[in-house]
Amino acid sequence: MRRYARIIGTGSYLPPRRLTNDDLAAELATRGLETSDEWIVERTGIRARHFAAPDVTSSDLALEASRKAIEAAGIDAQDIDLIIVATSTPDMVFPSTAAILQNKLGITNGCPAFDVQAVCSGFVYALTVADSMIQSGAAKRVLVVGSEVFSRILDFNDRTTCVLFGDGAGAVVLEASDEPGILSTELHADGSHVGILCVPGNVSGGNVLGDPLLKMDGQAVFKLAVSVLDKAARATLEKAGLTEADIDWLIPHQANIRIMQSTARKLKLSMDKVVVTVDQHGNTSAASIPLALDHGVRTGQVKKGQTVLLEGVGGGFTWGAVLLKM
């Protein structure tokens, strides 16, 4: 009998500080940059985002989201036997944010904990790894988290990128099950596109080498994202023996409403079947899919037994999709 990885609990957390487009435009004006709510909404669909306080880390956000997911799953934190955190903004160079989160959760059972770095595709990558670990019998209950403090790596002198991103965390608890859960997954990367979305800096000898702020070729990212998301979605459906008509909900990476609309259109899905949080969260990178999933679950949109397609694209260039039964 096939062993499935099934989601039994979801959780999310947004830092309290919420900035509307007008708030951000006012801050940018002090730097001599001009933007507006109309300009941002027209190009991205974003109306607000949340920024963490200076002393708040990715593991802090992850802790709050994880607690909610564990509570929703109805288990004890000590029941978790694997922790995977997807993040591009870790607390430290090392140890992993997952290990720091393990300590903050008070998990003392010695379970493995590690980070996955695939930028905005990170949660899809992490879910796929967790699914494989459960299918192989190496884990029974896995905490998978996407957590980011992208506000730390934004160039606030570049209005084309700093208006796009926000901070937050989302988490799920997966459990081994005989019932269908994750049905199929699809992961890809193409390193030849490294330069279109990156933070080209690193630490050496106590100094920052290169540029530690986000750089993006928006048009190149948009064009590539629309193409690869459609292919990944169809590949996961084919693996599971399903079609677009079987999808109850599409929960894409929340980067840009136009990318999301294009993806839905190619899959012949109404936007009524797409969970949208980009307007209120902005692009929270690896946190965006689990944030949107938890929003869908807690608002009653996403229900048990429904078929959900998750998909994301990120720097690398990375992309992937996960098809699952809730």
Side-chain angles (χ1 to χ4, degrees), residues 227-318:
S227 171
V228 299
L229 283 175
D230 180 54
K231 293 174 183 175
R234 295 185 187 282
T236 56
L237 287 166
E238 185 176 348
K239 284 181 180 178
L242 300 177
T243 70
E244 303 100 311
D246 296 307
I247 299 172
D248 292 304
W249 289 101
L250 171 64
I251 305 182
H253 166 47
Q254 309 283 314
N256 182 308
I257 192 64
R258 292 187 298 160
I259 295 176
M260 296 162 66
Q261 289 168 339
S262 177
T263 302
R265 192 162 51 245
K266 289 193 172 192
L267 291 171
K268 300 181 178 65
L269 293 176
S270 161
M271 285 302 291
D272 291 339
K273 287 193 168 188
V274 182
V275 176
V276 177
T277 56
V278 68
D279 58 325
Q280 296 302 315
H281 299 172
N283 181 348
T284 54
S285 191
S288 81
I289 292 174
L291 271 167
L293 174 61
D294 185 55
H295 172 80
V297 169
R298 291 177 186 266
T299 58
Q301 291 175 284
V302 179
K303 299 178 175 63
K304 183 177 174 61
Q306 291 186 324
T307 300
V308 178
L309 177 64
L310 314 178
E311 56 178 11
V313 294
F317 200 77
T318 62

Coordinates of all heavy atoms in Angstrom, one line a residue, residues 227-318:
S227 N 6.0 30.9 -18.4 CA 6.3 29.7 -19.2 C 6.4 28.5 -18.3 O 5.8 27.5 -18.6 CB 7.5 30.0 -20.1 OG 7.9 28.8 -20.7
V228 N 7.3 28.6 -17.3 CA 7.6 27.4 -16.6 C 6.5 26.9 -15.6 O 6.4 25.7 -15.3 CB 9.0 27.5 -15.8 CG1 10.1 27.8 -16.8 CG2 8.9 28.6 -14.7
L229 N 5.8 27.9 -15.1 CA 4.7 27.5 -14.2 C 3.6 26.6 -14.9 O 3.1 25.7 -14.3 CB 4.0 28.8 -13.6 CG 4.8 29.5 -12.5 CD1 4.1 30.8 -12.1 CD2 5.0 28.6 -11.3
D230 N 3.3 27.0 -16.1 CA 2.3 26.2 -16.9 C 2.8 24.8 -17.1 O 2.1 23.8 -16.9 CB 2.1 26.9 -18.2 CG 1.0 26.1 -19.0 OD1 -0.1 25.9 -18.5 OD2 1.4 25.8 -20.2
K231 N 4.1 24.7 -17.4 CA 4.7 23.3 -17.7 C 4.7 22.5 -16.4 O 4.4 21.3 -16.5 CB 6.1 23.5 -18.3 CG 6.1 24.1 -19.7 CD 7.5 24.3 -20.2 CE 7.5 25.0 -21.6 NZ 8.9 25.4 -22.0
A232 N 5.1 23.1 -15.3 CA 5.2 22.4 -14.1 C 3.8 21.9 -13.6 O 3.7 20.8 -13.1 CB 5.8 23.2 -13.0
A233 N 2.8 22.8 -13.8 CA 1.5 22.4 -13.4 C 1.0 21.2 -14.2 O 0.4 20.2 -13.6 CB 0.5 23.6 -13.6
R234 N 1.2 21.2 -15.5 CA 0.7 20.1 -16.3 C 1.5 18.8 -16.0 O 0.9 17.7 -16.1 CB 0.9 20.5 -17.8 CG -0.1 21.7 -18.2 CD 0.0 22.0 -19.6 NE -0.8 23.3 -19.9 CZ -2.1 23.3 -19.9 NH1 -2.8 22.2 -19.7 NH2 -2.8 24.5 -20.1
A235 N 2.7 19.0 -15.7 CA 3.5 17.8 -15.4 C 3.0 17.1 -14.1 O 2.9 15.8 -14.1 CB 5.0 18.1 -15.2
T236 N 2.7 17.9 -13.1 CA 2.1 17.3 -11.8 C 0.8 16.6 -12.1 O 0.5 15.6 -11.5 CB 2.0 18.3 -10.7 OG1 1.2 19.4 -11.1 CG2 3.4 18.8 -10.3
L237 N 0.0 17.3 -12.9 CA -1.4 16.7 -13.2 C -1.2 15.4 -14.0 O -1.9 14.4 -13.7 CB -2.2 17.7 -14.0 CG -2.7 18.9 -13.3 CD1 -3.2 20.0 -14.3 CD2 -3.8 18.5 -12.4
E238 N -0.3 15.4 -14.9 CA -0.1 14.1 -15.7 C 0.4 13.0 -14.8 O -0.1 11.9 -14.9 CB 0.9 14.4 -16.8 CG 1.1 13.2 -17.8 CD 2.0 13.5 -18.9 OE1 2.4 14.7 -19.1 OE2 2.4 12.6 -19.6
K239 N 1.3 13.3 -13.9 CA 1.8 12.3 -13.0 C 0.7 11.7 -12.2 O 0.7 10.5 -11.8 CB 2.9 12.8 -12.1 CG 4.3 13.1 -12.7 CD 5.2 13.7 -11.7 CE 6.6 13.9 -12.3 NZ 7.5 14.5 -11.3
A240 N -0.2 12.5 -11.8 CA -1.3 12.0 -10.9 C -2.5 11.5 -11.7 O -3.5 11.0 -11.1 CB -1.8 13.2 -10.0
G241 N -2.5 11.6 -13.0 CA -3.6 11.1 -13.8 C -4.8 12.0 -13.8 O -5.9 11.5 -13.9
L242 N -4.5 13.3 -13.5 CA -5.7 14.2 -13.4 C -5.5 15.3 -14.5 O -4.5 15.4 -15.2 CB -5.6 14.9 -12.0 CG -5.8 14.0 -10.8 CD1 -5.7 14.7 -9.5 CD2 -7.1 13.2 -10.9
T243 N -6.6 16.1 -14.6 CA -6.6 17.2 -15.6 C -6.9 18.5 -14.9 O -7.2 18.6 -13.7 CB -7.7 17.0 -16.7 OG1 -9.0 17.2 -16.1 CG2 -7.5 15.6 -17.3
E244 N -6.8 19.6 -15.6 CA -7.1 21.0 -15.1 C -8.5 21.0 -14.4 O -8.7 21.7 -13.4 CB -7.1 22.0 -16.1 CG -5.7 22.1 -16.9 CD -5.8 21.4 -18.2 OE1 -6.3 20.3 -18.3 OE2 -5.4 22.1 -19.2
A245 N -9.4 20.2 -15.0 CA -10.8 20.2 -14.4 C -10.9 19.7 -13.0 O -11.9 19.9 -12.3 CB -11.7 19.5 -15.4
D246 N -9.9 18.9 -12.6 CA -9.9 18.3 -11.3 C -9.4 19.2 -10.2 O -9.5 18.9 -9.0 CB -9.0 17.0 -11.3 CG -9.6 16.0 -12.2 OD1 -10.8 15.6 -12.1 OD2 -8.8 15.5 -13.1
I247 N -8.8 20.4 -10.6 CA -8.3 21.3 -9.6 C -9.4 22.1 -8.9 O -10.2 22.8 -9.6 CB -7.3 22.3 -10.3 CG1 -6.1 21.6 -10.9 CG2 -6.8 23.3 -9.3 CD1 -5.2 22.4 -11.8
D248 N -9.4 22.0 -7.6 CA -10.4 22.8 -6.9 C -9.8 24.2 -6.5 O -10.5 25.2 -6.6 CB -10.8 22.1 -5.6 CG -11.6 20.9 -5.8 OD1 -12.7 21.0 -6.5 OD2 -11.2 19.8 -5.3
W249 N -8.5 24.2 -6.2 CA -7.9 25.5 -5.9 C -6.4 25.5 -6.4 O -5.7 24.6 -6.3 CB -7.8 25.7 -4.4 CG -9.1 26.0 -3.7 CD1 -9.9 25.1 -3.1 CD2 -9.8 27.2 -3.8 NE1 -11.1 25.7 -2.7 CE2 -11.0 27.0 -3.1 CE3 -9.5 28.5 -4.3 CZ2 -12.0 28.1 -2.9 CZ3 -10.5 29.5 -4.1 CH2 -11.7 29.3 -3.5
L250 N -6.1 26.7 -7.0 CA -4.7 27.0 -7.4 C -4.2 27.9 -6.3 O -4.7 29.0 -6.1 CB -4.7 27.6 -8.8 CG -3.3 28.1 -9.2 CD1 -2.3 27.0 -9.4 CD2 -3.5 28.9 -10.6
I251 N -3.1 27.5 -5.7 CA -2.4 28.4 -4.8 C -1.0 28.7 -5.2 O -0.1 27.9 -4.9 CB -2.4 27.9 -3.3 CG1 -3.8 27.5 -2.9 CG2 -1.8 28.9 -2.3 CD1 -4.0 27.0 -1.5
P252 N -0.8 29.7 -6.1 CA 0.5 30.0 -6.6 C 1.3 30.8 -5.7 O 0.8 31.5 -4.8 CB 0.2 30.7 -7.9 CG -1.1 31.5 -7.6 CD -1.8 30.6 -6.6
H253 N 2.6 30.9 -6.0 CA 3.5 31.9 -5.3 C 2.9 33.2 -5.6 O 2.6 33.6 -6.7 CB 4.9 31.7 -5.9 CG 5.8 32.9 -5.5 ND1 5.9 33.4 -4.2 CD2 6.7 33.6 -6.3 CE1 6.8 34.4 -4.2 NE2 7.3 34.5 -5.4
Q254 N 2.8 34.0 -4.5 CA 2.2 35.3 -4.6 C 3.2 36.4 -4.9 O 3.6 37.2 -4.0 CB 1.5 35.6 -3.2 CG 0.5 34.5 -2.8 CD -0.8 34.5 -3.5 OE1 -1.4 35.5 -3.7 NE2 -1.2 33.3 -3.9
A255 N 3.6 36.5 -6.2 CA 4.6 37.5 -6.6 C 4.0 38.7 -7.3 O 4.3 39.8 -7.0 CB 5.6 36.8 -7.5
N256 N 3.0 38.4 -8.2 CA 2.5 39.4 -9.1 C 1.2 38.9 -9.6 O 1.1 37.8 -10.1 CB 3.5 39.7 -10.2 CG 3.0 40.8 -11.1 OD1 1.9 40.8 -11.7 ND2 3.9 41.7 -11.4
I257 N 0.1 39.7 -9.4 CA -1.2 39.3 -9.8 C -1.3 39.0 -11.3 O -2.0 38.1 -11.7 CB -2.3 40.3 -9.4 CG1 -3.7 39.8 -9.6 CG2 -2.1 41.6 -10.3 CD1 -4.0 38.6 -8.6
R258 N -0.5 39.6 -12.1 CA -0.5 39.4 -13.6 C 0.0 38.0 -13.9 O -0.5 37.3 -14.8 CB 0.2 40.5 -14.3 CG -0.5 41.8 -14.3 CD 0.2 42.8 -15.2 NE 1.6 43.1 -14.8 CZ 2.5 43.6 -15.6 NH1 2.2 43.9 -16.8 NH2 3.7 43.8 -15.1
I259 N 1.1 37.6 -13.2 CA 1.6 36.2 -13.4 C 0.6 35.2 -13.0 O 0.3 34.2 -13.7 CB 2.9 36.0 -12.6 CG1 4.0 36.9 -13.1 CG2 3.4 34.5 -12.7 CD1 5.3 36.8 -12.3
M260 N -0.1 35.4 -11.9 CA -1.1 34.5 -11.3 C -2.3 34.4 -12.3 O -2.8 33.3 -12.6 CB -1.6 35.0 -10.0 CG -0.4 34.9 -8.9 SD -0.8 35.9 -7.5 CE -2.2 35.1 -6.8
Q261 N -2.7 35.6 -12.8 CA -3.8 35.6 -13.8 C -3.5 34.8 -15.1 O -4.3 34.1 -15.6 CB -4.2 37.0 -14.1 CG -4.9 37.7 -13.0 CD -5.0 39.2 -13.2 OE1 -4.3 39.8 -14.0 NE2 -5.9 39.9 -12.5
S262 N -2.2 35.0 -15.5 CA -1.8 34.3 -16.7 C -1.7 32.8 -16.5 O -2.2 32.0 -17.4 CB -0.4 34.8 -17.2 OG 0.1 34.1 -18.3
T263 N -1.2 32.4 -15.4 CA -1.2 31.0 -15.1 C -2.6 30.3 -15.0 O -2.8 29.3 -15.6 CB -0.5 30.7 -13.7 OG1 0.8 31.3 -13.8 CG2 -0.3 29.3 -13.4
A264 N -3.5 31.0 -14.3 CA -4.9 30.5 -14.3 C -5.5 30.4 -15.6 O -6.2 29.4 -16.0 CB -5.7 31.4 -13.4
R265 N -5.3 31.4 -16.5 CA -5.8 31.4 -17.8 C -5.3 30.2 -18.6 O -6.1 29.6 -19.3 CB -5.5 32.8 -18.5 CG -6.2 33.0 -19.8 CD -6.2 34.5 -20.2 NE -4.8 35.0 -20.1 CZ -4.4 35.9 -19.3 NH1 -5.2 36.4 -18.3 NH2 -3.1 36.4 -19.3
K266 N -4.0 30.0 -18.5 CA -3.5 28.8 -19.3 C -4.0 27.5 -18.8 O -4.1 26.5 -19.6 CB -1.9 28.8 -19.2 CG -1.3 30.0 -19.9 CD 0.2 29.8 -20.1 CE 0.8 30.8 -21.0 NZ 2.2 30.4 -21.4
L267 N -4.4 27.4 -17.5 CA -5.0 26.2 -17.0 C -6.5 26.2 -17.1 O -7.1 25.3 -16.6 CB -4.5 26.0 -15.5 CG -3.0 25.8 -15.3 CD1 -2.7 25.8 -13.8 CD2 -2.7 24.4 -15.8
K268 N -7.0 27.2 -17.8 CA -8.5 27.3 -17.9 C -9.2 27.4 -16.6 O -10.3 26.8 -16.4 CB -9.0 26.1 -18.8 CG -8.4 26.1 -20.2 CD -9.0 24.9 -21.0 CE -8.5 24.9 -22.4 NZ -7.0 24.6 -22.5
L269 N -8.6 28.1 -15.6 CA -9.2 28.2 -14.3 C -9.7 29.6 -14.1 O -9.0 30.6 -14.5 CB -8.2 27.9 -13.2 CG -7.7 26.4 -13.1 CD1 -6.6 26.4 -12.0 CD2 -8.8 25.5 -12.8
S270 N -10.9 29.7 -13.6 CA -11.4 31.1 -13.2 C -10.6 31.6 -12.0 O -10.1 30.8 -11.2 CB -12.9 30.9 -12.8 OG -13.3 32.0 -12.0
M271 N -10.4 32.9 -11.9 CA -9.7 33.5 -10.7 C -10.5 33.2 -9.4 O -9.9 33.4 -8.4 CB -9.5 35.0 -10.9 CG -8.4 35.3 -11.9 SD -6.8 34.6 -11.5 CE -6.4 35.6 -10.0
D272 N -11.7 32.8 -9.5 CA -12.5 32.4 -8.4 C -11.9 31.1 -7.7 O -12.2 30.8 -6.6 CB -14.0 32.1 -8.7 CG -14.7 33.4 -9.1 OD1 -14.2 34.5 -8.7 OD2 -15.7 33.3 -9.8
K273 N -11.1 30.4 -8.5 CA -10.4 29.2 -8.0 C -9.0 29.4 -7.6 O -8.2 28.5 -7.3 CB -10.5 28.1 -9.0 CG -11.9 27.5 -9.2 CD -11.8 26.2 -10.0 CE -13.1 25.4 -10.0 NZ -13.0 24.1 -10.6
V274 N -8.6 30.7 -7.5 CA -7.2 31.0 -7.1 C -7.2 31.7 -5.8 O -8.0 32.7 -5.6 CB -6.6 31.9 -8.2 CG1 -5.1 32.2 -7.8 CG2 -6.6 31.3 -9.6
V275 N -6.4 31.2 -4.8 CA -6.3 31.9 -3.5 C -5.3 33.1 -3.7 O -4.2 32.9 -4.1 CB -5.8 31.0 -2.4 CG1 -5.6 31.7 -1.1 CG2 -6.8 29.8 -2.2
V276 N -5.8 34.3 -3.5 CA -5.0 35.5 -3.7 C -4.8 36.2 -2.4 O -5.7 36.6 -1.7 CB -5.7 36.4 -4.7 CG1 -4.9 37.7 -4.9 CG2 -5.9 35.7 -6.0
T277 N -3.5 36.4 -2.0 CA -3.1 37.2 -0.8 C -2.1 38.2 -1.2 O -1.7 39.0 -0.3 CB -2.6 36.3 0.3 OG1 -1.5 35.5 -0.2 CG2 -3.7 35.3 0.8
V278 N -1.6 38.2 -2.4 CA -0.6 39.1 -2.8 C -0.9 40.6 -2.6 O -0.1 41.4 -2.3 CB -0.1 38.9 -4.3 CG1 -1.3 39.3 -5.2 CG2 1.1 39.7 -4.6
D279 N -2.2 40.9 -2.6 CA -2.7 42.3 -2.4 C -2.4 42.8 -1.0 O -2.1 44.0 -0.8 CB -4.2 42.4 -2.8 CG -5.1 41.5 -2.0 OD1 -4.6 40.4 -1.6 OD2 -6.2 41.9 -1.6
Q280 N -2.5 41.9 -0.1 CA -2.3 42.3 1.4 C -0.9 41.9 1.9 O -0.5 42.4 2.9 CB -3.4 41.6 2.2 CG -4.8 42.1 1.9 CD -4.9 43.6 2.0 OE1 -4.4 44.2 3.0 NE2 -5.5 44.3 1.0
H281 N -0.2 40.9 1.3 CA 1.0 40.4 1.9 C 2.2 40.8 1.0 O 3.4 40.8 1.5 CB 1.0 38.9 1.9 CG 0.0 38.3 2.8 ND1 -0.3 36.9 2.8 CD2 -0.9 38.9 3.6 CE1 -1.2 36.7 3.7 NE2 -1.6 37.9 4.2
G282 N 2.0 41.2 -0.2 CA 3.2 41.4 -1.1 C 3.8 40.0 -1.4 O 3.2 39.0 -1.1
N283 N 5.0 40.1 -1.9 CA 5.8 38.8 -2.2 C 6.6 38.5 -1.0 O 7.5 39.2 -0.7 CB 6.7 39.1 -3.4 CG 7.5 37.9 -3.8 OD1 7.5 36.9 -3.1 ND2 8.1 37.9 -5.0
T284 N 6.2 37.4 -0.3 CA 6.9 37.0 0.9 C 7.8 35.8 0.6 O 8.2 35.0 1.5 CB 6.0 36.7 2.0 OG1 5.0 35.7 1.6 CG2 5.3 37.9 2.5
S285 N 8.2 35.6 -0.7 CA 9.2 34.6 -1.1 C 8.7 33.2 -0.6 O 7.6 32.8 -0.9 CB 10.6 35.0 -0.6 OG 11.5 34.1 -1.2
A286 N 9.6 32.5 0.1 CA 9.2 31.1 0.5 C 8.0 31.0 1.4 O 7.4 30.0 1.5 CB 10.5 30.5 1.1
A287 N 7.7 32.1 2.0 CA 6.5 32.1 2.9 C 5.2 32.3 2.2 O 4.1 32.1 2.8 CB 6.7 33.2 4.0
S288 N 5.2 32.7 0.9 CA 4.0 33.2 0.3 C 3.0 32.0 0.1 O 1.8 32.2 0.3 CB 4.3 33.9 -1.0 OG 4.5 33.0 -2.1
I289 N 3.4 30.9 -0.3 CA 2.5 29.8 -0.6 C 1.9 29.3 0.7 O 0.6 29.1 0.8 CB 3.2 28.6 -1.4 CG1 3.5 29.1 -2.8 CG2 2.3 27.4 -1.4 CD1 4.3 28.1 -3.6
P290 N 2.7 29.0 1.8 CA 2.0 28.5 3.0 C 1.2 29.6 3.7 O 0.2 29.3 4.3 CB 3.2 28.1 3.9 CG 4.4 28.8 3.4 CD 4.2 28.9 1.9
L291 N 1.5 30.9 3.5 CA 0.7 31.9 4.0 C -0.7 31.9 3.3 O -1.7 32.0 4.0 CB 1.3 33.3 3.8 CG 2.3 33.8 4.9 CD1 3.1 35.0 4.4 CD2 1.5 34.3 6.1
A292 N -0.6 31.8 2.0 CA -1.9 31.7 1.2 C -2.7 30.5 1.5 O -3.9 30.5 1.6 CB -1.6 31.8 -0.3
L293 N -2.0 29.4 1.7 CA -2.7 28.1 2.0 C -3.4 28.2 3.4 O -4.6 27.8 3.5 CB -1.7 26.9 2.0 CG -2.2 25.6 2.5 CD1 -3.3 25.1 1.6 CD2 -1.1 24.6 2.6
D294 N -2.7 28.7 4.4 CA -3.3 28.9 5.7 C -4.5 29.8 5.6 O -5.6 29.6 6.3 CB -2.3 29.3 6.7 CG -2.9 29.4 8.1 OD1 -3.4 28.3 8.6 OD2 -2.8 30.4 8.8
H295 N -4.4 30.9 4.9 CA -5.5 31.9 4.7 C -6.7 31.2 4.1 O -7.8 31.3 4.6 CB -5.0 33.0 3.8 CG -6.1 33.9 3.4 ND1 -6.6 35.0 4.2 CD2 -6.9 34.0 2.2 CE1 -7.6 35.6 3.6 NE2 -7.8 35.1 2.4
G296 N -6.4 30.4 3.0 CA -7.5 29.6 2.4 C -8.2 28.7 3.3 O -9.4 28.5 3.3
V297 N -7.4 28.0 4.2 CA -8.0 27.0 5.1 C -8.8 27.7 6.2 O -9.9 27.3 6.5 CB -6.9 26.2 5.7 CG1 -7.4 25.3 6.9 CG2 -6.2 25.2 4.7
R298 N -8.2 28.8 6.7 CA -8.9 29.4 7.9 C -10.1 30.3 7.5 O -10.9 30.5 8.3 CB -7.9 30.2 8.7 CG -6.9 29.3 9.4 CD -5.8 30.0 10.2 NE -4.8 29.1 10.7 CZ -4.8 28.5 11.9 NH1 -5.8 28.9 12.7 NH2 -3.9 27.7 12.3
T299 N -10.2 30.7 6.2 CA -11.3 31.4 5.8 C -12.4 30.5 5.3 O -13.5 30.9 4.9 CB -11.0 32.4 4.7 OG1 -10.4 31.7 3.6 CG2 -10.0 33.5 5.2
G300 N -12.1 29.2 5.2 CA -13.1 28.2 4.8 C -13.2 28.0 3.3 O -14.0 27.3 2.8
Q301 N -12.3 28.6 2.6 CA -12.2 28.4 1.1 C -11.7 27.0 0.8 O -12.4 26.3 0.0 CB -11.3 29.5 0.5 CG -11.7 30.9 0.5 CD -10.7 31.8 -0.1 OE1 -9.7 32.1 0.6 NE2 -10.8 32.2 -1.3
V302 N -10.6 26.7 1.4 CA -10.0 25.4 1.1 C -10.5 24.4 2.1 O -10.3 24.5 3.3 CB -8.4 25.5 1.1 CG1 -7.8 24.1 0.9 CG2 -7.9 26.5 0.1
K303 N -11.1 23.3 1.6 CA -11.7 22.3 2.5 C -11.1 20.9 2.4 O -10.5 20.6 1.3 CB -13.2 22.2 2.2 CG -14.0 23.5 2.4 CD -15.5 23.4 2.0 CE -16.3 24.6 2.4 NZ -15.8 25.8 1.6
K304 N -11.3 20.1 3.4 CA -10.8 18.8 3.4 C -11.4 18.0 2.2 O -12.6 18.1 1.9 CB -11.2 18.1 4.7 CG -10.6 16.6 4.8 CD -11.0 16.1 6.2 CE -10.6 14.6 6.3 NZ -9.2 14.4 6.1
G305 N -10.5 17.2 1.5 CA -10.9 16.4 0.4 C -10.8 17.1 -1.0 O -10.9 16.5 -2.0
Q306 N -10.5 18.5 -0.9 CA -10.3 19.2 -2.2 C -8.9 19.0 -2.8 O -8.0 18.7 -2.0 CB -10.6 20.7 -2.0 CG -12.1 21.0 -1.7 CD -12.4 22.4 -1.7 OE1 -11.6 23.2 -1.2 NE2 -13.5 22.8 -2.1
T307 N -8.8 19.1 -4.1 CA -7.6 19.0 -4.8 C -6.9 20.4 -5.0 O -7.6 21.3 -5.5 CB -7.7 18.3 -6.1 OG1 -8.3 17.0 -5.9 CG2 -6.4 18.1 -6.9
V308 N -5.7 20.5 -4.5 CA -5.1 21.8 -4.5 C -3.7 21.7 -5.3 O -2.9 20.8 -5.1 CB -4.8 22.3 -3.1 CG1 -4.1 23.7 -3.1 CG2 -6.1 22.4 -2.3
L309 N -3.5 22.7 -6.1 CA -2.2 22.8 -6.8 C -1.4 24.0 -6.3 O -1.9 25.1 -6.3 CB -2.4 23.0 -8.3 CG -1.2 23.2 -9.2 CD1 -0.3 21.9 -9.2 CD2 -1.6 23.5 -10.7
L310 N -0.2 23.7 -5.8 CA 0.7 24.7 -5.3 C 1.8 24.8 -6.3 O 2.3 23.8 -6.9 CB 1.3 24.3 -4.0 CG 0.4 23.8 -2.9 CD1 1.3 23.4 -1.6 CD2 -0.6 24.8 -2.5
E311 N 2.2 26.1 -6.6 CA 3.4 26.2 -7.6 C 4.1 27.5 -7.3 O 3.5 28.5 -6.8 CB 2.9 26.2 -9.0 CG 1.8 27.2 -9.4 CD 1.4 27.1 -10.8 OE1 1.8 26.1 -11.5 OE2 0.8 28.0 -11.3
G312 N 5.4 27.5 -7.6 CA 6.2 28.7 -7.3 C 7.4 28.7 -8.2 O 7.9 27.7 -8.8
V313 N 7.9 30.0 -8.4 CA 9.2 30.2 -9.1 C 10.1 31.1 -8.3 O 9.6 31.9 -7.5 CB 8.9 30.9 -10.5 CG1 8.2 30.0 -11.4 CG2 8.2 32.2 -10.3
G314 N 11.4 31.0 -8.4 CA 12.3 31.8 -7.6 C 13.6 31.9 -8.2 O 13.9 31.3 -9.2
G315 N 14.5 32.8 -7.6 CA 15.8 33.0 -8.1 C 16.6 31.6 -8.2 O 16.3 30.7 -7.4
G316 N 17.4 31.6 -9.2 CA 18.2 30.3 -9.3 C 18.5 30.0 -10.8 O 19.6 29.7 -11.1
F317 N 17.6 29.9 -11.7 CA 16.1 30.1 -11.5 C 15.5 28.8 -11.1 O 15.8 27.8 -11.7 CB 15.6 30.6 -12.9 CG 14.3 31.3 -12.8 CD1 14.1 32.6 -12.3 CD2 13.1 30.7 -13.2 CE1 12.9 33.3 -12.3 CE2 11.9 31.3 -13.1 CZ 11.8 32.6 -12.6
T318 N 14.7 28.8 -10.1 CA 14.0 27.5 -9.7 C 12.5 27.6 -9.9 O 12.0 28.7 -9.9 CB 14.3 27.3 -8.2 OG1 13.7 28.4 -7.4 CG2 15.8 27.2 -7.9

